[in-house]
Amino acid sequence: MRNISTTAYLIAMYRALETERPDALFKDPFARKLAGSEGAMAIEVLGKTQQGMNAVTIRTCEFDASIERLVHSAPVDTVLNLAAGLDTRPYRLYLPSDLRWIEVDLPEILDYKSQILAGEQPGCMLRRIPLDLTNVKQRRQLFADLGLRTEHTLVITEGLLMYLSEAQVGSLASDLHEQTAFRWWLSDLSAPYLRQKSRQDPQQQLFNQYFAEGKKTFLFAPVAGINFFSPYGWQVKEFRSAWAALQRLKGRLRFLWLINLWMRWFDRIHWQAINQDSGFILLDRQDS
């Protein structure tokens, strides 16, 4: 597996499958190449689960829309993508040519991506920095260096926080807020109820066994929900629930009206969880 997380290949493969649909909600022309045979094998093991494909499609669409909207409406000079994985947004999104896009991830992932995309031209100024984000000392040094070189930075943590504990996310939030140039933070968030349900889900258990490399998933699902970040100097600028985002797939979901009815009246705990505390959050720094 070239010492790269199999999850990265799997996510790339899901993006490739969405791209190849005639009614695709986004196009990632590089996803199939990045997924490679490892991504195809991952799909063989896990199966083309609609749940997994929907989750990746929704998250990709929401992040795409938020990023494009912000870089064209706010004075964003830098995008800092932490745990970037096999993401290809610098190549496929409509971005200002003078925007600085910085990808941070493990050396093996960035080396592999650089090799596969060697002949492609990004639409903005792209830089890749190899770093293990769990190394707090090196992470803080990187943030301090970037904080001196940028003025208005958007930080992205797509699919990262779920692998961290609340203490680790709190530490990351504090480190990010330490840099006044880091103005916005875009991430995804899960509710405690969904974490509890995932532990009983055979598909999630299969994912953990074959794709999480022994790591526990759904670690970060705070009881405080979207208010978790407030003590660390971050306030909620925008929040879109996972269920609201799912409506974008309504053309593919059979009996959507019945699902809505069931969720509202017969599974209210689940409904409340995915509407209030599970979804996509854009944070704005709150200076004292």
Side-chain angles (χ1 to χ4, degrees), residues 156-221:
I156 301 173
T157 54
E158 180 185 12
L160 169 63
L161 301 190
M162 66 182 292
Y163 292 100
L164 305 178
S165 67
E166 288 196 17
Q168 288 175 313
V169 175
S171 174
L172 176 62
S174 295
D175 292 347
L176 290 173
H177 190 267
E178 190 71 21
Q179 307 305 320
T180 57
F182 295 176
R183 304 298 308 179
W184 307 273
W185 181 7
L186 180 63
S187 192
D188 44 339
L189 185 67
S190 295
Y193 177 76
L194 298 183
R195 177 177 60 184
Q196 179 183 355
K197 293 284 285 186
S198 72
R199 292 173 177 171
Q200 306 166 2
D201 183 3
Q203 202 68 40
Q204 184 65 41
Q205 293 172 7
L206 182 64
F207 175 87
N208 291 342
Q209 180 180 355
Y210 285 98
F211 301 103
E213 289 85 34
K215 301 175 185 176
K216 292 183 179 180
T217 57
F218 269 102
L219 288 181
F220 183 67

Side-chain angles (χ1 to χ4, degrees), residues 59-198:
R59 190 176 74 183
T60 302
C61 287
E62 290 299 314
F63 273 74
D64 284 359
S66 294
I67 293 168
E68 286 191 329
R69 181 173 64 252
L70 199 61
V71 299
H72 289 290
S73 65
V76 179
D77 58 42
T78 304
V79 173
L80 177 59
N81 191 0
L82 302 179
L86 300 181
D87 173 62
T88 62
R89 289 187 175 94
Y91 298 88
R92 63 180 184 81
L93 290 189
Y94 171 56
L95 302 171
S97 59
D98 60 347
L99 177 72
R100 286 171 289 188
W101 190 290
I102 301 173
E103 296 182 336
V104 180
D105 212 321
L106 298 174
E108 297 84 358
I109 294 180
L110 297 184
D111 287 346
Y112 170 74
K113 183 159 62 169
S114 295
Q115 176 187 348
I116 296 297
L117 300 177
E120 305 296 338
Q121 184 65 36
C124 60
M125 296 184 292
L126 176 61
R127 178 187 176 192
R128 296 189 173 108
I129 300 177
L131 181 72
D132 182 351
L133 289 166
T134 62
N135 187 319
V136 177
K137 182 178 180 180
Q138 292 184 9
R139 181 181 79 199
R140 288 174 177 169
Q141 184 60 56
L142 172 63
F143 290 174
D145 291 344
L146 295 178
L148 294 174
R149 300 168 184 266
T150 65
E151 294 183 7
H152 299 91
T153 297
L154 164 63
V155 179
I156 301 173
T157 54
E158 180 185 12
L160 169 63
L161 301 190
M162 66 182 292
Y163 292 100
L164 305 178
S165 67
E166 288 196 17
Q168 288 175 313
V169 175
S171 174
L172 176 62
S174 295
D175 292 347
L176 290 173
H177 190 267
E178 190 71 21
Q179 307 305 320
T180 57
F182 295 176
R183 304 298 308 179
W184 307 273
W185 181 7
L186 180 63
S187 192
D188 44 339
L189 185 67
S190 295
Y193 177 76
L194 298 183
R195 177 177 60 184
Q196 179 183 355
K197 293 284 285 186
S198 72

Side-chain angles (χ1 to χ4, degrees), residues 26-38:
F26 66 86
K27 293 289 186 181
D28 185 346
F30 314 102
R32 171 70 68 167
K33 192 174 182 181
L34 285 166
S37 59
E38 292 88 348

